[in-house]
PDB file of all heavy atoms in Angstrom:
ATOM      1  N   GLY A 145       3.775  24.280 -16.705  1.00 89.00           N
ATOM      2  CA  GLY A 145       2.937  24.870 -15.670  1.00 89.00           C
ATOM      3  C   GLY A 145       1.726  24.036 -15.315  1.00 89.00           C
ATOM      4  O   GLY A 145       1.018  24.350 -14.341  1.00 89.00           O
ATOM      5  N   ILE A 146       1.434  22.992 -16.093  1.00 89.00           N
ATOM      6  CA  ILE A 146       0.270  22.143 -15.824  1.00 89.00           C
ATOM      7  C   ILE A 146       0.752  20.824 -15.227  1.00 89.00           C
ATOM      8  O   ILE A 146       1.444  20.064 -15.895  1.00 89.00           O
ATOM      9  CB  ILE A 146      -0.527  21.865 -17.109  1.00 89.00           C
ATOM     10  CG1 ILE A 146      -0.971  23.176 -17.765  1.00 89.00           C
ATOM     11  CG2 ILE A 146      -1.751  21.004 -16.804  1.00 89.00           C
ATOM     12  CD1 ILE A 146      -1.709  22.982 -19.064  1.00 89.00           C
ATOM     13  N   PRO A 147       0.395  20.507 -13.991  1.00 87.00           N
ATOM     14  CA  PRO A 147       0.828  19.238 -13.394  1.00 87.00           C
ATOM     15  C   PRO A 147       0.136  18.051 -14.045  1.00 87.00           C
ATOM     16  O   PRO A 147      -0.946  18.178 -14.634  1.00 87.00           O
ATOM     17  CB  PRO A 147       0.433  19.390 -11.926  1.00 87.00           C
ATOM     18  CG  PRO A 147      -0.677  20.389 -11.920  1.00 87.00           C
ATOM     19  CD  PRO A 147      -0.390  21.326 -13.053  1.00 87.00           C
ATOM     20  N   THR A 148       0.752  16.886 -13.919  1.00 87.00           N
ATOM     21  CA  THR A 148       0.201  15.673 -14.523  1.00 87.00           C
ATOM     22  C   THR A 148      -1.165  15.321 -13.958  1.00 87.00           C
ATOM     23  O   THR A 148      -2.024  14.793 -14.669  1.00 87.00           O
ATOM     24  CB  THR A 148       1.169  14.497 -14.309  1.00 87.00           C
ATOM     25  OG1 THR A 148       2.467  14.860 -14.777  1.00 87.00           O
ATOM     26  CG2 THR A 148       0.704  13.253 -15.055  1.00 87.00           C
ATOM     27  N   ILE A 149      -1.401  15.635 -12.693  1.00 88.00           N
ATOM     28  CA  ILE A 149      -2.676  15.308 -12.070  1.00 88.00           C
ATOM     29  C   ILE A 149      -3.826  16.099 -12.695  1.00 88.00           C
ATOM     30  O   ILE A 149      -4.998  15.717 -12.590  1.00 88.00           O
ATOM     31  CB  ILE A 149      -2.596  15.567 -10.545  1.00 88.00           C
ATOM     32  CG1 ILE A 149      -3.749  14.865  -9.841  1.00 88.00           C
ATOM     33  CG2 ILE A 149      -2.579  17.050 -10.246  1.00 88.00           C
ATOM     34  CD1 ILE A 149      -3.654  14.894  -8.333  1.00 88.00           C
ATOM     35  N   VAL A 150      -3.507  17.205 -13.365  1.00 92.00           N
ATOM     36  CA  VAL A 150      -4.512  17.982 -14.096  1.00 92.00           C
ATOM     37  C   VAL A 150      -4.515  17.618 -15.576  1.00 92.00           C
ATOM     38  O   VAL A 150      -5.577  17.468 -16.194  1.00 92.00           O
ATOM     39  CB  VAL A 150      -4.250  19.498 -13.930  1.00 92.00           C
ATOM     40  CG1 VAL A 150      -5.239  20.320 -14.763  1.00 92.00           C
ATOM     41  CG2 VAL A 150      -4.346  19.898 -12.474  1.00 92.00           C
ATOM     42  N   LEU A 151      -3.326  17.441 -16.144  1.00 92.00           N
ATOM     43  CA  LEU A 151      -3.212  17.151 -17.571  1.00 92.00           C
ATOM     44  C   LEU A 151      -3.796  15.789 -17.932  1.00 92.00           C
ATOM     45  O   LEU A 151      -4.452  15.644 -18.976  1.00 92.00           O
ATOM     46  CB  LEU A 151      -1.739  17.219 -18.000  1.00 92.00           C
ATOM     47  CG  LEU A 151      -1.434  17.044 -19.480  1.00 92.00           C
ATOM     48  CD1 LEU A 151      -2.110  18.146 -20.301  1.00 92.00           C
ATOM     49  CD2 LEU A 151       0.064  17.051 -19.725  1.00 92.00           C
ATOM     50  N   ALA A 152      -3.588  14.785 -17.107  1.00 92.00           N
ATOM     51  CA  ALA A 152      -4.066  13.433 -17.416  1.00 92.00           C
ATOM     52  C   ALA A 152      -5.590  13.352 -17.498  1.00 92.00           C
ATOM     53  O   ALA A 152      -6.125  12.825 -18.484  1.00 92.00           O
ATOM     54  CB  ALA A 152      -3.517  12.438 -16.388  1.00 92.00           C
ATOM     55  N   PRO A 153      -6.352  13.864 -16.518  1.00 93.00           N
ATOM     56  CA  PRO A 153      -7.816  13.822 -16.669  1.00 93.00           C
ATOM     57  C   PRO A 153      -8.334  14.652 -17.836  1.00 93.00           C
ATOM     58  O   PRO A 153      -9.305  14.247 -18.495  1.00 93.00           O
ATOM     59  CB  PRO A 153      -8.321  14.378 -15.330  1.00 93.00           C
ATOM     60  CG  PRO A 153      -7.201  14.181 -14.376  1.00 93.00           C
ATOM     61  CD  PRO A 153      -5.962  14.347 -15.188  1.00 93.00           C
ATOM     62  N   LEU A 154      -7.692  15.795 -18.115  1.00 94.00           N
ATOM     63  CA  LEU A 154      -8.120  16.607 -19.247  1.00 94.00           C
ATOM     64  C   LEU A 154      -7.909  15.870 -20.567  1.00 94.00           C
ATOM     65  O   LEU A 154      -8.796  15.859 -21.435  1.00 94.00           O
ATOM     66  CB  LEU A 154      -7.357  17.938 -19.257  1.00 94.00           C
ATOM     67  CG  LEU A 154      -7.729  18.960 -18.176  1.00 94.00           C
ATOM     68  CD1 LEU A 154      -6.827  20.180 -18.272  1.00 94.00           C
ATOM     69  CD2 LEU A 154      -9.193  19.371 -18.308  1.00 94.00           C
ATOM     70  N   ALA A 155      -6.740  15.255 -20.724  1.00 94.00           N
ATOM     71  CA  ALA A 155      -6.469  14.504 -21.952  1.00 94.00           C
ATOM     72  C   ALA A 155      -7.398  13.309 -22.073  1.00 94.00           C
ATOM     73  O   ALA A 155      -7.874  12.986 -23.175  1.00 94.00           O
ATOM     74  CB  ALA A 155      -5.008  14.042 -21.960  1.00 94.00           C
ATOM     75  N   GLN A 156      -7.682  12.649 -20.956  1.00 94.00           N
ATOM     76  CA  GLN A 156      -8.587  11.503 -20.993  1.00 94.00           C
ATOM     77  C   GLN A 156      -9.992  11.927 -21.406  1.00 94.00           C
ATOM     78  O   GLN A 156     -10.653  11.242 -22.202  1.00 94.00           O
ATOM     79  CB  GLN A 156      -8.626  10.832 -19.619  1.00 94.00           C
ATOM     80  CG  GLN A 156      -9.486   9.568 -19.564  1.00 94.00           C
ATOM     81  CD  GLN A 156      -9.600   9.032 -18.147  1.00 94.00           C
ATOM     82  OE1 GLN A 156      -9.864   9.795 -17.212  1.00 94.00           O
ATOM     83  NE2 GLN A 156      -9.383   7.737 -17.982  1.00 94.00           N
ATOM     84  N   TYR A 157     -10.462  13.071 -20.878  1.00 94.00           N
ATOM     85  CA  TYR A 157     -11.829  13.514 -21.186  1.00 94.00           C
ATOM     86  C   TYR A 157     -11.964  13.971 -22.633  1.00 94.00           C
ATOM     87  O   TYR A 157     -12.862  13.520 -23.358  1.00 94.00           O
ATOM     88  CB  TYR A 157     -12.233  14.640 -20.239  1.00 94.00           C
ATOM     89  CG  TYR A 157     -13.571  15.253 -20.597  1.00 94.00           C
ATOM     90  CD1 TYR A 157     -14.754  14.560 -20.363  1.00 94.00           C
ATOM     91  CD2 TYR A 157     -13.643  16.513 -21.182  1.00 94.00           C
ATOM     92  CE1 TYR A 157     -15.981  15.112 -20.698  1.00 94.00           C
ATOM     93  CE2 TYR A 157     -14.863  17.076 -21.519  1.00 94.00           C
ATOM     94  CZ  TYR A 157     -16.033  16.368 -21.274  1.00 94.00           C
ATOM     95  OH  TYR A 157     -17.237  16.914 -21.630  1.00 94.00           O
ATOM     96  N   PHE A 158     -11.064  14.859 -23.071  1.00 95.00           N
ATOM     97  CA  PHE A 158     -11.209  15.434 -24.406  1.00 95.00           C
ATOM     98  C   PHE A 158     -10.806  14.454 -25.508  1.00 95.00           C
ATOM     99  O   PHE A 158     -11.535  14.263 -26.483  1.00 95.00           O
ATOM    100  CB  PHE A 158     -10.388  16.727 -24.518  1.00 95.00           C
ATOM    101  CG  PHE A 158     -10.999  17.890 -23.803  1.00 95.00           C
ATOM    102  CD1 PHE A 158     -10.481  18.329 -22.598  1.00 95.00           C
ATOM    103  CD2 PHE A 158     -12.107  18.535 -24.322  1.00 95.00           C
ATOM    104  CE1 PHE A 158     -11.042  19.399 -21.928  1.00 95.00           C
ATOM    105  CE2 PHE A 158     -12.682  19.626 -23.662  1.00 95.00           C
ATOM    106  CZ  PHE A 158     -12.145  20.046 -22.460  1.00 95.00           C
ATOM    107  N   LEU A 159      -9.629  13.811 -25.369  1.00 93.00           N
ATOM    108  CA  LEU A 159      -9.123  12.938 -26.425  1.00 93.00           C
ATOM    109  C   LEU A 159      -9.677  11.522 -26.347  1.00 93.00           C
ATOM    110  O   LEU A 159      -9.698  10.824 -27.360  1.00 93.00           O
ATOM    111  CB  LEU A 159      -7.588  12.890 -26.372  1.00 93.00           C
ATOM    112  CG  LEU A 159      -6.873  14.228 -26.579  1.00 93.00           C
ATOM    113  CD1 LEU A 159      -5.366  14.054 -26.460  1.00 93.00           C
ATOM    114  CD2 LEU A 159      -7.223  14.829 -27.924  1.00 93.00           C
ATOM    115  N   GLY A 160     -10.113  11.110 -25.157  1.00 92.00           N
ATOM    116  CA  GLY A 160     -10.609   9.751 -25.005  1.00 92.00           C
ATOM    117  C   GLY A 160     -12.111   9.614 -24.961  1.00 92.00           C
ATOM    118  O   GLY A 160     -12.683   8.705 -25.566  1.00 92.00           O
ATOM    119  N   VAL A 161     -12.783  10.525 -24.246  1.00 93.00           N
ATOM    120  CA  VAL A 161     -14.227  10.421 -24.059  1.00 93.00           C
ATOM    121  C   VAL A 161     -14.993  11.277 -25.058  1.00 93.00           C
ATOM    122  O   VAL A 161     -15.884  10.789 -25.763  1.00 93.00           O
ATOM    123  CB  VAL A 161     -14.615  10.807 -22.607  1.00 93.00           C
ATOM    124  CG1 VAL A 161     -16.129  10.757 -22.431  1.00 93.00           C
ATOM    125  CG2 VAL A 161     -13.926   9.897 -21.602  1.00 93.00           C
ATOM    126  N   LYS A 162     -14.645  12.554 -25.157  1.00 92.00           N
ATOM    127  CA  LYS A 162     -15.420  13.472 -25.989  1.00 92.00           C
ATOM    128  C   LYS A 162     -15.140  13.283 -27.473  1.00 92.00           C
ATOM    129  O   LYS A 162     -16.068  13.126 -28.281  1.00 92.00           O
ATOM    130  CB  LYS A 162     -15.122  14.917 -25.572  1.00 92.00           C
ATOM    131  CG  LYS A 162     -16.039  15.939 -26.227  1.00 92.00           C
ATOM    132  CD  LYS A 162     -15.814  17.329 -25.654  1.00 92.00           C
ATOM    133  CE  LYS A 162     -16.791  18.321 -26.271  1.00 92.00           C
ATOM    134  NZ  LYS A 162     -16.599  19.688 -25.708  1.00 92.00           N
ATOM    135  N   TRP A 163     -13.888  13.305 -27.867  1.00 93.00           N
ATOM    136  CA  TRP A 163     -13.526  13.194 -29.291  1.00 93.00           C
ATOM    137  C   TRP A 163     -13.229  11.764 -29.713  1.00 93.00           C
ATOM    138  O   TRP A 163     -13.157  11.483 -30.906  1.00 93.00           O
ATOM    139  CB  TRP A 163     -12.332  14.104 -29.595  1.00 93.00           C
ATOM    140  CG  TRP A 163     -12.627  15.549 -29.357  1.00 93.00           C
ATOM    141  CD1 TRP A 163     -13.845  16.154 -29.438  1.00 93.00           C
ATOM    142  CD2 TRP A 163     -11.692  16.567 -28.978  1.00 93.00           C
ATOM    143  NE1 TRP A 163     -13.734  17.485 -29.144  1.00 93.00           N
ATOM    144  CE2 TRP A 163     -12.418  17.777 -28.859  1.00 93.00           C
ATOM    145  CE3 TRP A 163     -10.327  16.579 -28.737  1.00 93.00           C
ATOM    146  CZ2 TRP A 163     -11.819  18.983 -28.507  1.00 93.00           C
ATOM    147  CZ3 TRP A 163      -9.718  17.774 -28.389  1.00 93.00           C
ATOM    148  CH2 TRP A 163     -10.455  18.954 -28.281  1.00 93.00           C
ATOM    149  N   GLN A 164     -13.024  10.857 -28.758  1.00 91.00           N
ATOM    150  CA  GLN A 164     -12.832   9.430 -29.006  1.00 91.00           C
ATOM    151  C   GLN A 164     -11.689   9.137 -29.989  1.00 91.00           C
ATOM    152  O   GLN A 164     -11.790   8.293 -30.859  1.00 91.00           O
ATOM    153  CB  GLN A 164     -14.136   8.793 -29.513  1.00 91.00           C
ATOM    154  CG  GLN A 164     -15.272   8.874 -28.519  1.00 91.00           C
ATOM    155  CD  GLN A 164     -16.530   8.210 -29.012  1.00 91.00           C
ATOM    156  OE1 GLN A 164     -16.605   7.713 -30.135  1.00 91.00           O
ATOM    157  NE2 GLN A 164     -17.559   8.170 -28.159  1.00 91.00           N
ATOM    158  N   LEU A 165     -10.595   9.858 -29.815  1.00 92.00           N
ATOM    159  CA  LEU A 165      -9.407   9.614 -30.638  1.00 92.00           C
ATOM    160  C   LEU A 165      -8.558   8.479 -30.074  1.00 92.00           C
ATOM    161  O   LEU A 165      -7.844   7.804 -30.822  1.00 92.00           O
ATOM    162  CB  LEU A 165      -8.565  10.897 -30.737  1.00 92.00           C
ATOM    163  CG  LEU A 165      -9.252  12.103 -31.384  1.00 92.00           C
ATOM    164  CD1 LEU A 165      -8.344  13.320 -31.329  1.00 92.00           C
ATOM    165  CD2 LEU A 165      -9.632  11.788 -32.823  1.00 92.00           C
ATOM    166  N   PHE A 166      -8.620   8.280 -28.763  1.00 94.00           N
ATOM    167  CA  PHE A 166      -7.857   7.239 -28.090  1.00 94.00           C
ATOM    168  C   PHE A 166      -8.782   6.513 -27.105  1.00 94.00           C
ATOM    169  O   PHE A 166      -9.801   7.071 -26.681  1.00 94.00           O
ATOM    170  CB  PHE A 166      -6.663   7.818 -27.325  1.00 94.00           C
ATOM    171  CG  PHE A 166      -5.656   8.511 -28.184  1.00 94.00           C
ATOM    172  CD1 PHE A 166      -5.716   9.888 -28.385  1.00 94.00           C
ATOM    173  CD2 PHE A 166      -4.642   7.804 -28.812  1.00 94.00           C
ATOM    174  CE1 PHE A 166      -4.791  10.536 -29.176  1.00 94.00           C
ATOM    175  CE2 PHE A 166      -3.705   8.436 -29.605  1.00 94.00           C
ATOM    176  CZ  PHE A 166      -3.783   9.813 -29.794  1.00 94.00           C
ATOM    177  N   PRO A 167      -8.436   5.286 -26.724  1.00 92.00           N
ATOM    178  CA  PRO A 167      -9.204   4.607 -25.674  1.00 92.00           C
ATOM    179  C   PRO A 167      -9.085   5.375 -24.357  1.00 92.00           C
ATOM    180  O   PRO A 167      -7.983   5.761 -23.961  1.00 92.00           O
ATOM    181  CB  PRO A 167      -8.553   3.235 -25.577  1.00 92.00           C
ATOM    182  CG  PRO A 167      -7.834   3.050 -26.885  1.00 92.00           C
ATOM    183  CD  PRO A 167      -7.408   4.409 -27.321  1.00 92.00           C
ATOM    184  N   PRO A 168     -10.204   5.613 -23.651  1.00 92.00           N
ATOM    185  CA  PRO A 168     -10.130   6.378 -22.398  1.00 92.00           C
ATOM    186  C   PRO A 168      -9.400   5.645 -21.274  1.00 92.00           C
ATOM    187  O   PRO A 168      -8.819   6.272 -20.396  1.00 92.00           O
ATOM    188  CB  PRO A 168     -11.602   6.618 -22.041  1.00 92.00           C
ATOM    189  CG  PRO A 168     -12.353   5.559 -22.763  1.00 92.00           C
ATOM    190  CD  PRO A 168     -11.582   5.260 -24.009  1.00 92.00           C
TER     191      PRO A 168
END
Side-chain angles (χ1 to χ4, degrees):
I146 303 178
T148 307
I149 196 172
V150 176
L151 184 61
L154 288 176
Q156 183 186 47
Y157 174 73
F158 285 105
L159 299 178
V161 178
K162 189 173 183 179
W163 298 332
Q164 298 182 357
L165 299 176
F166 298 94

